[in-house]
Amino acid sequence: KPQMGRGWTKGTEKTLCRTPVFEVVETPFTRDSDALIHPFCTLKAPDWVNILAFTEDGLAVAVRQYRFGTASMTVELPAGVVDEGEEPLQAAERELLEETGYAAGKWVSLGSCASNPALMDNRTHLFLALDCSPTRPQEPDAHEEIEVELLTRDVLLNRIRTQQIDHAIAMATITRWLLLEKRTDSGDPLPDPLPRPRPETPVETK
């Protein structure tokens, strides 16, 4: 069914291209004011996770890696894709462990945000990971070369001020954390830790 927005009616999507990471679709939208049909191309993608992790000593766990979109090295936060069948928290635990080798003692949700509403339909789930410690070697994907950097709070924020960290979603995660910290400084308690995902029950095969 067409979905009504504010002054727009959404038509039927048409897939133009499928890639390993997103799907390009074209959708006609009819503007109510003039009844003209405007085709828009957007990207359909799975949800993502972005993690601000702190060690037991209060150091932020950042990652330095090469990014193909900008063809440059970046400093950002551990992040990744929510795989099919995963809950966002499960994906966050997995990505943190794979990219950095660190595991968290406590997880707090920082909510979610639209990844890029102008072009994309997915959301990014933001997490605060506390009491992190290294538990195993990194296991990045085949195309990833990730260097872990431990940053103090002041260095982390200075990296944003100097645009050494300029990943928009990483900055959104840090902003949500700062707002949460400001709230807790005012006397509000930290949100309850998230319950850990239950391990999947093995399926017996005959």
PDB file of all heavy atoms in Angstrom, residues 97-129:
ATOM      1  N   LEU A  97      34.234  -7.238  20.131  1.00  0.00           N
ATOM      2  CA  LEU A  97      35.188  -8.324  20.346  1.00  0.00           C
ATOM      3  C   LEU A  97      36.031  -8.576  19.093  1.00  0.00           C
ATOM      4  O   LEU A  97      37.251  -8.733  19.164  1.00  0.00           O
ATOM      5  CB  LEU A  97      34.427  -9.586  20.741  1.00  0.00           C
ATOM      6  CG  LEU A  97      35.204 -10.716  21.413  1.00  0.00           C
ATOM      7  CD1 LEU A  97      35.907 -10.228  22.667  1.00  0.00           C
ATOM      8  CD2 LEU A  97      34.285 -11.877  21.736  1.00  0.00           C
ATOM      9  N   GLU A  98      35.388  -8.595  17.925  1.00  0.00           N
ATOM     10  CA  GLU A  98      36.112  -8.866  16.684  1.00  0.00           C
ATOM     11  C   GLU A  98      37.101  -7.762  16.356  1.00  0.00           C
ATOM     12  O   GLU A  98      38.245  -8.033  15.970  1.00  0.00           O
ATOM     13  CB  GLU A  98      35.123  -9.043  15.525  1.00  0.00           C
ATOM     14  CG  GLU A  98      34.308 -10.314  15.574  1.00  0.00           C
ATOM     15  CD  GLU A  98      33.286 -10.400  14.449  1.00  0.00           C
ATOM     16  OE1 GLU A  98      33.134  -9.414  13.678  1.00  0.00           O
ATOM     17  OE2 GLU A  98      32.610 -11.433  14.340  1.00  0.00           O
ATOM     18  N   GLU A  99      36.667  -6.511  16.486  1.00  0.00           N
ATOM     19  CA  GLU A  99      37.513  -5.403  16.045  1.00  0.00           C
ATOM     20  C   GLU A  99      38.611  -5.048  17.041  1.00  0.00           C
ATOM     21  O   GLU A  99      39.684  -4.576  16.639  1.00  0.00           O
ATOM     22  CB  GLU A  99      36.663  -4.164  15.773  1.00  0.00           C
ATOM     23  CG  GLU A  99      35.744  -4.320  14.561  1.00  0.00           C
ATOM     24  CD  GLU A  99      35.145  -3.002  14.111  1.00  0.00           C
ATOM     25  OE1 GLU A  99      35.356  -1.970  14.804  1.00  0.00           O
ATOM     26  OE2 GLU A  99      34.477  -2.987  13.064  1.00  0.00           O
ATOM     27  N   THR A 100      38.357  -5.253  18.336  1.00  0.00           N
ATOM     28  CA  THR A 100      39.318  -4.799  19.338  1.00  0.00           C
ATOM     29  C   THR A 100      39.853  -5.892  20.248  1.00  0.00           C
ATOM     30  O   THR A 100      40.888  -5.699  20.896  1.00  0.00           O
ATOM     31  CB  THR A 100      38.677  -3.715  20.228  1.00  0.00           C
ATOM     32  OG1 THR A 100      37.663  -4.323  21.064  1.00  0.00           O
ATOM     33  CG2 THR A 100      38.051  -2.614  19.390  1.00  0.00           C
ATOM     34  N   GLY A 101      39.134  -7.014  20.350  1.00  0.00           N
ATOM     35  CA  GLY A 101      39.513  -8.042  21.311  1.00  0.00           C
ATOM     36  C   GLY A 101      39.012  -7.758  22.714  1.00  0.00           C
ATOM     37  O   GLY A 101      39.264  -8.536  23.636  1.00  0.00           O
ATOM     38  N   TYR A 102      38.271  -6.642  22.898  1.00  0.00           N
ATOM     39  CA  TYR A 102      37.769  -6.269  24.215  1.00  0.00           C
ATOM     40  C   TYR A 102      36.341  -6.780  24.402  1.00  0.00           C
ATOM     41  O   TYR A 102      35.546  -6.806  23.456  1.00  0.00           O
ATOM     42  CB  TYR A 102      37.759  -4.748  24.375  1.00  0.00           C
ATOM     43  CG  TYR A 102      39.107  -4.157  24.738  1.00  0.00           C
ATOM     44  CD1 TYR A 102      40.126  -4.078  23.792  1.00  0.00           C
ATOM     45  CD2 TYR A 102      39.370  -3.685  26.026  1.00  0.00           C
ATOM     46  CE1 TYR A 102      41.364  -3.537  24.107  1.00  0.00           C
ATOM     47  CE2 TYR A 102      40.602  -3.140  26.353  1.00  0.00           C
ATOM     48  CZ  TYR A 102      41.598  -3.071  25.393  1.00  0.00           C
ATOM     49  OH  TYR A 102      42.825  -2.540  25.715  1.00  0.00           O
ATOM     50  N   ALA A 103      36.024  -7.141  25.645  1.00  0.00           N
ATOM     51  CA  ALA A 103      34.663  -7.494  26.039  1.00  0.00           C
ATOM     52  C   ALA A 103      34.259  -6.580  27.182  1.00  0.00           C
ATOM     53  O   ALA A 103      35.102  -6.146  27.983  1.00  0.00           O
ATOM     54  CB  ALA A 103      34.575  -8.954  26.471  1.00  0.00           C
ATOM     55  N   ALA A 104      32.960  -6.256  27.254  1.00  0.00           N
ATOM     56  CA  ALA A 104      32.460  -5.310  28.251  1.00  0.00           C
ATOM     57  C   ALA A 104      31.818  -6.029  29.422  1.00  0.00           C
ATOM     58  O   ALA A 104      31.194  -7.078  29.257  1.00  0.00           O
ATOM     59  CB  ALA A 104      31.455  -4.355  27.610  1.00  0.00           C
ATOM     60  N   GLY A 105      31.944  -5.432  30.608  1.00  0.00           N
ATOM     61  CA  GLY A 105      31.267  -5.971  31.785  1.00  0.00           C
ATOM     62  C   GLY A 105      29.846  -5.480  31.903  1.00  0.00           C
ATOM     63  O   GLY A 105      29.013  -6.113  32.546  1.00  0.00           O
ATOM     64  N   LYS A 106      29.552  -4.319  31.275  1.00  0.00           N
ATOM     65  CA  LYS A 106      28.206  -3.744  31.367  1.00  0.00           C
ATOM     66  C   LYS A 106      27.902  -2.988  30.083  1.00  0.00           C
ATOM     67  O   LYS A 106      28.767  -2.303  29.532  1.00  0.00           O
ATOM     68  CB  LYS A 106      28.109  -2.814  32.575  1.00  0.00           C
ATOM     69  CG  LYS A 106      26.738  -2.195  32.778  1.00  0.00           C
ATOM     70  CD  LYS A 106      26.593  -1.585  34.166  1.00  0.00           C
ATOM     71  CE  LYS A 106      27.474  -0.378  34.355  1.00  0.00           C
ATOM     72  NZ  LYS A 106      27.219   0.308  35.640  1.00  0.00           N
ATOM     73  N   TRP A 107      26.654  -3.108  29.616  1.00  0.00           N
ATOM     74  CA  TRP A 107      26.208  -2.427  28.402  1.00  0.00           C
ATOM     75  C   TRP A 107      25.033  -1.516  28.725  1.00  0.00           C
ATOM     76  O   TRP A 107      24.121  -1.901  29.459  1.00  0.00           O
ATOM     77  CB  TRP A 107      25.771  -3.445  27.345  1.00  0.00           C
ATOM     78  CG  TRP A 107      26.905  -4.203  26.723  1.00  0.00           C
ATOM     79  CD1 TRP A 107      27.474  -5.351  27.185  1.00  0.00           C
ATOM     80  CD2 TRP A 107      27.601  -3.855  25.525  1.00  0.00           C
ATOM     81  NE1 TRP A 107      28.496  -5.742  26.352  1.00  0.00           N
ATOM     82  CE2 TRP A 107      28.594  -4.850  25.326  1.00  0.00           C
ATOM     83  CE3 TRP A 107      27.487  -2.812  24.609  1.00  0.00           C
ATOM     84  CZ2 TRP A 107      29.454  -4.819  24.233  1.00  0.00           C
ATOM     85  CZ3 TRP A 107      28.340  -2.780  23.522  1.00  0.00           C
ATOM     86  CH2 TRP A 107      29.321  -3.769  23.342  1.00  0.00           C
ATOM     87  N   VAL A 108      25.052  -0.318  28.159  1.00  0.00           N
ATOM     88  CA  VAL A 108      23.966   0.643  28.318  1.00  0.00           C
ATOM     89  C   VAL A 108      23.554   1.113  26.927  1.00  0.00           C
ATOM     90  O   VAL A 108      24.403   1.467  26.102  1.00  0.00           O
ATOM     91  CB  VAL A 108      24.401   1.852  29.175  1.00  0.00           C
ATOM     92  CG1 VAL A 108      23.279   2.882  29.249  1.00  0.00           C
ATOM     93  CG2 VAL A 108      24.806   1.405  30.572  1.00  0.00           C
ATOM     94  N   SER A 109      22.259   1.105  26.658  1.00  0.00           N
ATOM     95  CA  SER A 109      21.771   1.594  25.370  1.00  0.00           C
ATOM     96  C   SER A 109      21.775   3.121  25.354  1.00  0.00           C
ATOM     97  O   SER A 109      21.333   3.765  26.309  1.00  0.00           O
ATOM     98  CB  SER A 109      20.358   1.083  25.105  1.00  0.00           C
ATOM     99  OG  SER A 109      19.819   1.705  23.941  1.00  0.00           O
ATOM    100  N   LEU A 110      22.272   3.700  24.266  1.00  0.00           N
ATOM    101  CA  LEU A 110      22.210   5.138  24.042  1.00  0.00           C
ATOM    102  C   LEU A 110      21.152   5.474  22.991  1.00  0.00           C
ATOM    103  O   LEU A 110      21.161   6.558  22.413  1.00  0.00           O
ATOM    104  CB  LEU A 110      23.579   5.667  23.609  1.00  0.00           C
ATOM    105  CG  LEU A 110      24.712   5.517  24.632  1.00  0.00           C
ATOM    106  CD1 LEU A 110      26.041   5.956  24.032  1.00  0.00           C
ATOM    107  CD2 LEU A 110      24.413   6.301  25.906  1.00  0.00           C
ATOM    108  N   GLY A 111      20.268   4.525  22.727  1.00  0.00           N
ATOM    109  CA  GLY A 111      19.216   4.743  21.747  1.00  0.00           C
ATOM    110  C   GLY A 111      19.679   4.444  20.340  1.00  0.00           C
ATOM    111  O   GLY A 111      20.649   3.711  20.128  1.00  0.00           O
ATOM    112  N   SER A 112      18.997   5.000  19.376  1.00  0.00           N
ATOM    113  CA  SER A 112      19.349   4.785  17.977  1.00  0.00           C
ATOM    114  C   SER A 112      19.151   6.087  17.221  1.00  0.00           C
ATOM    115  O   SER A 112      18.548   7.040  17.724  1.00  0.00           O
ATOM    116  CB  SER A 112      18.504   3.669  17.357  1.00  0.00           C
ATOM    117  OG  SER A 112      17.145   4.065  17.261  1.00  0.00           O
ATOM    118  N   CYS A 113      19.668   6.122  15.993  1.00  0.00           N
ATOM    119  CA  CYS A 113      19.496   7.304  15.152  1.00  0.00           C
ATOM    120  C   CYS A 113      19.370   6.862  13.704  1.00  0.00           C
ATOM    121  O   CYS A 113      19.811   5.762  13.335  1.00  0.00           O
ATOM    122  CB  CYS A 113      20.663   8.282  15.317  1.00  0.00           C
ATOM    123  SG  CYS A 113      22.267   7.644  14.796  1.00  0.00           S
ATOM    124  N   ALA A 114      18.757   7.706  12.891  1.00  0.00           N
ATOM    125  CA  ALA A 114      18.688   7.442  11.457  1.00  0.00           C
ATOM    126  C   ALA A 114      20.090   7.611  10.874  1.00  0.00           C
ATOM    127  O   ALA A 114      20.737   8.636  11.094  1.00  0.00           O
ATOM    128  CB  ALA A 114      17.708   8.403  10.792  1.00  0.00           C
ATOM    129  N   SER A 115      20.561   6.610  10.150  1.00  0.00           N
ATOM    130  CA  SER A 115      21.939   6.641   9.661  1.00  0.00           C
ATOM    131  C   SER A 115      22.165   7.788   8.683  1.00  0.00           C
ATOM    132  O   SER A 115      23.163   8.504   8.767  1.00  0.00           O
ATOM    133  CB  SER A 115      22.286   5.302   8.995  1.00  0.00           C
ATOM    134  OG  SER A 115      22.081   4.239   9.895  1.00  0.00           O
ATOM    135  N   ASN A 116      21.269   7.962   7.746  1.00  0.00           N
ATOM    136  CA  ASN A 116      21.297   9.085   6.800  1.00  0.00           C
ATOM    137  C   ASN A 116      19.921   9.153   6.153  1.00  0.00           C
ATOM    138  O   ASN A 116      19.708   8.550   5.097  1.00  0.00           O
ATOM    139  CB  ASN A 116      22.392   8.900   5.749  1.00  0.00           C
ATOM    140  CG  ASN A 116      22.488  10.077   4.794  1.00  0.00           C
ATOM    141  OD1 ASN A 116      21.667  10.993   4.836  1.00  0.00           O
ATOM    142  ND2 ASN A 116      23.488  10.063   3.930  1.00  0.00           N
ATOM    143  N   PRO A 117      18.967   9.858   6.762  1.00  0.00           N
ATOM    144  CA  PRO A 117      17.575   9.800   6.302  1.00  0.00           C
ATOM    145  C   PRO A 117      17.355  10.340   4.898  1.00  0.00           C
ATOM    146  O   PRO A 117      16.322  10.065   4.291  1.00  0.00           O
ATOM    147  CB  PRO A 117      16.818  10.626   7.346  1.00  0.00           C
ATOM    148  CG  PRO A 117      17.845  11.501   7.972  1.00  0.00           C
ATOM    149  CD  PRO A 117      19.123  10.715   7.943  1.00  0.00           C
ATOM    150  N   ALA A 118      18.311  11.096   4.374  1.00  0.00           N
ATOM    151  CA  ALA A 118      18.151  11.595   3.009  1.00  0.00           C
ATOM    152  C   ALA A 118      18.279  10.480   1.984  1.00  0.00           C
ATOM    153  O   ALA A 118      17.653  10.528   0.916  1.00  0.00           O
ATOM    154  CB  ALA A 118      19.186  12.684   2.713  1.00  0.00           C
ATOM    155  N   LEU A 119      19.080   9.462   2.312  1.00  0.00           N
ATOM    156  CA  LEU A 119      19.382   8.422   1.324  1.00  0.00           C
ATOM    157  C   LEU A 119      19.137   7.006   1.809  1.00  0.00           C
ATOM    158  O   LEU A 119      18.996   6.098   0.985  1.00  0.00           O
ATOM    159  CB  LEU A 119      20.858   8.530   0.898  1.00  0.00           C
ATOM    160  CG  LEU A 119      21.276   9.795   0.152  1.00  0.00           C
ATOM    161  CD1 LEU A 119      22.787   9.782  -0.068  1.00  0.00           C
ATOM    162  CD2 LEU A 119      20.545   9.916  -1.166  1.00  0.00           C
ATOM    163  N   MET A 120      19.124   6.780   3.117  1.00  0.00           N
ATOM    164  CA  MET A 120      19.119   5.411   3.630  1.00  0.00           C
ATOM    165  C   MET A 120      17.913   5.172   4.521  1.00  0.00           C
ATOM    166  O   MET A 120      17.393   6.099   5.153  1.00  0.00           O
ATOM    167  CB  MET A 120      20.415   5.133   4.392  1.00  0.00           C
ATOM    168  CG  MET A 120      21.665   5.422   3.594  1.00  0.00           C
ATOM    169  SD  MET A 120      23.169   4.870   4.400  1.00  0.00           S
ATOM    170  CE  MET A 120      23.003   3.089   4.234  1.00  0.00           C
ATOM    171  N   ASP A 121      17.496   3.893   4.594  1.00  0.00           N
ATOM    172  CA  ASP A 121      16.319   3.542   5.397  1.00  0.00           C
ATOM    173  C   ASP A 121      16.680   2.884   6.723  1.00  0.00           C
ATOM    174  O   ASP A 121      15.801   2.574   7.507  1.00  0.00           O
ATOM    175  CB  ASP A 121      15.399   2.610   4.599  1.00  0.00           C
ATOM    176  CG  ASP A 121      15.994   1.204   4.409  1.00  0.00           C
ATOM    177  OD1 ASP A 121      17.238   1.056   4.521  1.00  0.00           O
ATOM    178  OD2 ASP A 121      15.225   0.271   4.138  1.00  0.00           O
ATOM    179  N   ASN A 122      17.965   2.672   6.990  1.00  0.00           N
ATOM    180  CA  ASN A 122      18.326   1.914   8.185  1.00  0.00           C
ATOM    181  C   ASN A 122      18.578   2.825   9.377  1.00  0.00           C
ATOM    182  O   ASN A 122      18.616   4.041   9.265  1.00  0.00           O
ATOM    183  CB  ASN A 122      19.561   1.048   7.925  1.00  0.00           C
ATOM    184  CG  ASN A 122      20.829   1.868   7.767  1.00  0.00           C
ATOM    185  OD1 ASN A 122      20.798   3.032   7.369  1.00  0.00           O
ATOM    186  ND2 ASN A 122      21.957   1.267   8.071  1.00  0.00           N
ATOM    187  N   ARG A 123      18.742   2.198  10.547  1.00  0.00           N
ATOM    188  CA  ARG A 123      19.048   2.920  11.771  1.00  0.00           C
ATOM    189  C   ARG A 123      20.342   2.376  12.362  1.00  0.00           C
ATOM    190  O   ARG A 123      20.716   1.232  12.115  1.00  0.00           O
ATOM    191  CB  ARG A 123      17.909   2.801  12.791  1.00  0.00           C
ATOM    192  CG  ARG A 123      16.603   3.420  12.325  1.00  0.00           C
ATOM    193  CD  ARG A 123      15.580   3.490  13.427  1.00  0.00           C
ATOM    194  NE  ARG A 123      15.935   4.431  14.483  1.00  0.00           N
ATOM    195  CZ  ARG A 123      15.754   5.759  14.394  1.00  0.00           C
ATOM    196  NH1 ARG A 123      15.250   6.303  13.303  1.00  0.00           N
ATOM    197  NH2 ARG A 123      16.068   6.542  15.405  1.00  0.00           N
ATOM    198  N   THR A 124      21.007   3.225  13.144  1.00  0.00           N
ATOM    199  CA  THR A 124      22.211   2.814  13.866  1.00  0.00           C
ATOM    200  C   THR A 124      21.900   2.798  15.354  1.00  0.00           C
ATOM    201  O   THR A 124      21.385   3.778  15.902  1.00  0.00           O
ATOM    202  CB  THR A 124      23.379   3.776  13.598  1.00  0.00           C
ATOM    203  OG1 THR A 124      23.650   3.804  12.204  1.00  0.00           O
ATOM    204  CG2 THR A 124      24.633   3.297  14.322  1.00  0.00           C
ATOM    205  N   HIS A 125      22.192   1.675  15.990  1.00  0.00           N
ATOM    206  CA  HIS A 125      21.951   1.498  17.420  1.00  0.00           C
ATOM    207  C   HIS A 125      23.232   1.855  18.170  1.00  0.00           C
ATOM    208  O   HIS A 125      24.302   1.309  17.875  1.00  0.00           O
ATOM    209  CB  HIS A 125      21.521   0.067  17.711  1.00  0.00           C
ATOM    210  CG  HIS A 125      20.302  -0.346  16.923  1.00  0.00           C
ATOM    211  ND1 HIS A 125      19.018  -0.168  17.391  1.00  0.00           N
ATOM    212  CD2 HIS A 125      20.187  -0.883  15.675  1.00  0.00           C
ATOM    213  CE1 HIS A 125      18.161  -0.592  16.484  1.00  0.00           C
ATOM    214  NE2 HIS A 125      18.846  -1.037  15.433  1.00  0.00           N
ATOM    215  N   LEU A 126      23.106   2.769  19.123  1.00  0.00           N
ATOM    216  CA  LEU A 126      24.254   3.328  19.822  1.00  0.00           C
ATOM    217  C   LEU A 126      24.365   2.707  21.213  1.00  0.00           C
ATOM    218  O   LEU A 126      23.364   2.591  21.927  1.00  0.00           O
ATOM    219  CB  LEU A 126      24.110   4.845  19.930  1.00  0.00           C
ATOM    220  CG  LEU A 126      23.651   5.576  18.652  1.00  0.00           C
ATOM    221  CD1 LEU A 126      23.496   7.062  18.921  1.00  0.00           C
ATOM    222  CD2 LEU A 126      24.608   5.322  17.503  1.00  0.00           C
ATOM    223  N   PHE A 127      25.585   2.329  21.576  1.00  0.00           N
ATOM    224  CA  PHE A 127      25.782   1.643  22.856  1.00  0.00           C
ATOM    225  C   PHE A 127      26.970   2.236  23.611  1.00  0.00           C
ATOM    226  O   PHE A 127      27.949   2.682  23.009  1.00  0.00           O
ATOM    227  CB  PHE A 127      26.037   0.146  22.639  1.00  0.00           C
ATOM    228  CG  PHE A 127      24.840  -0.620  22.167  1.00  0.00           C
ATOM    229  CD1 PHE A 127      24.659  -0.874  20.816  1.00  0.00           C
ATOM    230  CD2 PHE A 127      23.896  -1.082  23.065  1.00  0.00           C
ATOM    231  CE1 PHE A 127      23.553  -1.577  20.369  1.00  0.00           C
ATOM    232  CE2 PHE A 127      22.782  -1.785  22.627  1.00  0.00           C
ATOM    233  CZ  PHE A 127      22.613  -2.033  21.278  1.00  0.00           C
ATOM    234  N   LEU A 128      26.834   2.195  24.943  1.00  0.00           N
ATOM    235  CA  LEU A 128      27.927   2.503  25.855  1.00  0.00           C
ATOM    236  C   LEU A 128      28.364   1.192  26.490  1.00  0.00           C
ATOM    237  O   LEU A 128      27.548   0.492  27.098  1.00  0.00           O
ATOM    238  CB  LEU A 128      27.449   3.496  26.922  1.00  0.00           C
ATOM    239  CG  LEU A 128      28.430   3.884  28.023  1.00  0.00           C
ATOM    240  CD1 LEU A 128      29.636   4.615  27.439  1.00  0.00           C
ATOM    241  CD2 LEU A 128      27.722   4.746  29.071  1.00  0.00           C
ATOM    242  N   ALA A 129      29.633   0.835  26.314  1.00  0.00           N
ATOM    243  CA  ALA A 129      30.171  -0.408  26.874  1.00  0.00           C
ATOM    244  C   ALA A 129      31.148  -0.039  27.991  1.00  0.00           C
ATOM    245  O   ALA A 129      32.111   0.698  27.750  1.00  0.00           O
ATOM    246  CB  ALA A 129      30.871  -1.218  25.792  1.00  0.00           C
TER     247      ALA A 129
END
